[in-house]
Amino acid sequence: MERLTRFCRALARHPLALDLAVALVILLINLVVPGGRHVGERIQLNQTVVLLAIAGAVVITFRRRAPLLVLAITTMITTTFVIAEQGKSPIVIYMGVAAYTVVLSKDRPTRSIAVVATALVSLTAEALFVGGDVLDNLGLTFFVLFSGAIGEAVRYRRAYLLELEERAVRAEQSRDEEAQRRVIEERLRIAHELHDVIAHHIALMNVQSGVAAHILRTQPDEAERALSLVRSGGRTVLQELTVLLGVLRRSGSPLPTAPTPSLHELDALIRSFTAAGVEVDWTPPASLGALPDVIELTAYRIVQESLTNVLKHAPGAAAEVQLIHRSSALEITVTNGPAPASTSEARGGHGLVGMRERVSAVGGELRAGPAAGGGFAVHAVLPLETGDLGDDQSAAGRRSDVDPERVPGAGEFSTRSGGRC
């Protein structure tokens, strides 16, 4: 049985060989069993029967090239046999195979008309030349209709399998696209986290190294202090990079383990900016209570980025940081006065873009722009119920876009007010 199955599959891969095999089998059946007028009767094998059987075998090998023409010719051969011999014969199998092929290859109206017309022609020929009652003459008609029904079943099965295959292909494409999208999002999140972890330290190191170079000869003690701050900032950057790279190298960790600063570290952050020359007016709140981790991380990054921008774009300006813990939200306000015109800079970056995306990720609101009395102000409102949905510490670092032109106000600076990057 297994060998027969393999043989049939191999034969199906060669359509012409399959058609020749089918034609040969039907020809042998017609030569062995020529047919008869009624059940049990037998027609003698004669020249007409042989010629019609051979003609049907030859024609059926072209059924894939011209299905309708082959169906018409096999119907004519069957009708000729019925008229000449006035009996029934296995030669009708040729007509059934042709009807099956038409159903597989033609559209619904065409195949319906062709099969019904063939059935009517065979029924009329039997009724006129074979005789007998109605039930005896319906056999040939039922055989034609049954062949068409098999063709319909095979057609639907092939369409179903094709649809399943297409669905599998689409599902595979969707999985690939989803995987690619996740990779891109993760890359953007890592880039964003690197920016937040390193940017303000690099800015501090840049300012302190400039101060050290300026006062190296006149105030060596102050220059040494500035260089020690540079060394300390460099060491901090290396430590945080080591932790972050360790997370990237680690596989199989479902949760992010990158550094996640909290609001308890704001004092140390503000002292680092004060040491860099930024005068920060900061009064720690009496009690912030228990806040979701993602809210604390977002608030810390907003303060960090805002003060870094003051240092880079409004050096010499004083800054003020306020945190207000309300019943349903945490408000962060960072303002700075105008920078001296001689030292203010106007450069583009992704600081505001990142802050907007962090706040948007937790469902909050951010307003950033020139302050009424000059300078710049950043005001964020972070809803506390965000943390109840799952404290995914990476949510605040997710970036939906890296194009600063798509965020209103991003990349726009004012030399009068000390812009933001």
Side-chain angles (χ1 to χ4, degrees):
M1 186 65 182
E2 185 178 353
R3 292 182 179 180
L4 179 60
T5 302
R6 288 201 301 266
F7 174 76
C8 293
R9 290 178 179 176
L11 196 61
R13 291 194 290 267
H14 301 83
L16 181 58
L18 178 62
D19 292 342
L20 290 173
V22 170
L24 181 60
V25 170
I26 301 175
L27 176 61
L28 291 176
I29 293 174
N30 279 274
L31 295 179
V32 174
V33 186
R37 184 178 181 86
H38 300 290
V39 178
E41 295 183 0
R42 182 181 176 87
I43 298 176
Q44 294 296 324
L45 189 63
N46 54 49
Q47 185 177 3
T48 303
V49 175
V50 173
L51 289 177
L52 290 176
I54 293 175
V58 172
V59 171
I60 205 67
T61 57
F62 297 95
R63 65 187 183 94
R64 301 177 191 271
R65 299 182 182 180
L68 290 175
L69 180 60
V70 170
L71 178 60
I73 294 176
T74 54
T75 302
M76 184 175 62
I77 291 174
T78 304
T79 305
T80 303
F81 180 90
V82 171
I83 295 173
E85 302 297 330
Q86 295 186 353
K88 304 169 186 177
S89 168
I91 203 168
V92 71
I93 300 177
Y94 290 126
M95 189 169 60
V97 173
Y100 168 85
T101 305
V102 168
V103 171
L104 284 182
S105 58
K106 298 300 178 180
D107 57 85
R108 184 179 296 275
T110 301
R111 64 177 183 264
S112 300
I113 294 173
V115 172
V116 172
T118 301
L120 292 177
V121 169
S122 61
L123 177 63
T124 302
E126 278 194 310
L128 292 177
F129 297 98
V130 178
D133 56 19
V134 176
L135 293 179
D136 288 341
N137 295 328
L138 286 179
L140 186 58
T141 303
F142 282 155
F143 182 79
V144 174
L145 295 178
F146 181 71
S147 300
I150 294 177
E152 287 287 349
V154 173
R155 184 186 183 96
Y156 284 130
R157 182 175 181 275
R158 290 180 179 177
Y160 175 72
L161 294 178
L162 181 61
E163 183 180 358
L164 289 181
E165 184 178 354
E166 291 177 351
R167 287 182 179 180
V169 172
R170 289 197 297 268
E172 187 66 25
Q173 292 176 348
S174 299
R175 283 194 294 268
D176 292 342
E177 292 174 357
E178 178 67 14
Q180 185 177 6
R181 184 185 65 81
R182 288 175 181 267
V183 169
I184 293 175
E185 285 186 353
E186 187 64 15
R187 286 178 178 175
L188 294 177
R189 189 187 71 82
I190 293 171
H192 194 196
E193 201 65 29
L194 281 173
H195 173 272
D196 289 338
V197 167
I198 297 175
H200 90 281
H201 290 296
I202 298 298
L204 292 176
M205 293 167 61
N206 182 53
V207 170
Q208 293 298 333
S209 62
V211 170
H214 183 67
I215 63 176
L216 181 61
R217 297 182 182 278
T218 58
Q219 302 179 34
D221 293 339
E222 290 297 326
E224 182 180 0
R225 177 175 174 275
L227 290 176
S228 67
L229 292 175
V230 171
R231 184 172 60 255
S232 174
R235 185 165 54 250
T236 303
V237 170
L238 288 176
Q239 290 174 350
E240 294 186 349
L241 276 179
T242 300
V243 174
L244 188 57
L245 292 176
V247 173
L248 296 180
R249 292 193 184 102
R250 188 181 301 119
S251 60
S253 178
L255 296 177
T257 57
T260 54
S262 66
L263 294 180
H264 298 290
E265 302 175 24
L266 274 183
D267 286 335
L269 176 69
I270 291 176
R271 282 198 301 270
S272 67
F273 281 102
T274 302
V278 179
E279 183 181 347
V280 182
D281 183 5
W282 153 250
T283 302
S287 176
L288 289 174
L291 297 176
D293 292 342
V294 67
I295 297 298
E296 288 208 29
L297 175 61
T298 303
Y300 182 92
R301 294 304 189 196
I302 290 173
V303 175
Q304 181 186 62
E305 185 62 39
S306 300
L307 293 178
T308 300
N309 289 333
V310 174
L311 180 65
K312 290 195 298 184
H313 304 298
E320 181 181 1
V321 178
Q322 290 183 347
L323 265 70
I324 302 177
H325 186 191
R326 303 192 184 279
S327 58
S328 60
L330 177 67
E331 295 186 12
I332 304 103
T333 305
V334 181
T335 58
N336 64 271
S342 60
T343 61
S344 62
E345 302 178 7
R347 295 182 306 214
H350 299 291
L352 277 180
V353 178
M355 282 193 287
R356 291 183 189 277
E357 290 171 353
R358 282 187 179 276
V359 174
S360 176
V362 298
E365 297 180 359
L366 178 83
R367 294 194 303 271
F376 203 86
V378 175
H379 180 74
V381 179
L382 307 179
L384 299 183
E385 62 269 15
T386 301
D388 298 334
L389 301 178
D391 294 337
D392 181 4
Q393 296 172 358
S394 66
R398 197 168 293 132
R399 305 184 69 184
S400 60
D401 192 2
V402 295
D403 185 0
E405 295 181 357
R406 298 185 182 180
V407 181
E412 299 178 2
F413 310 107
S414 171
T415 57
R416 179 186 63 82
S417 60
R420 293 290 187 267
C421 63

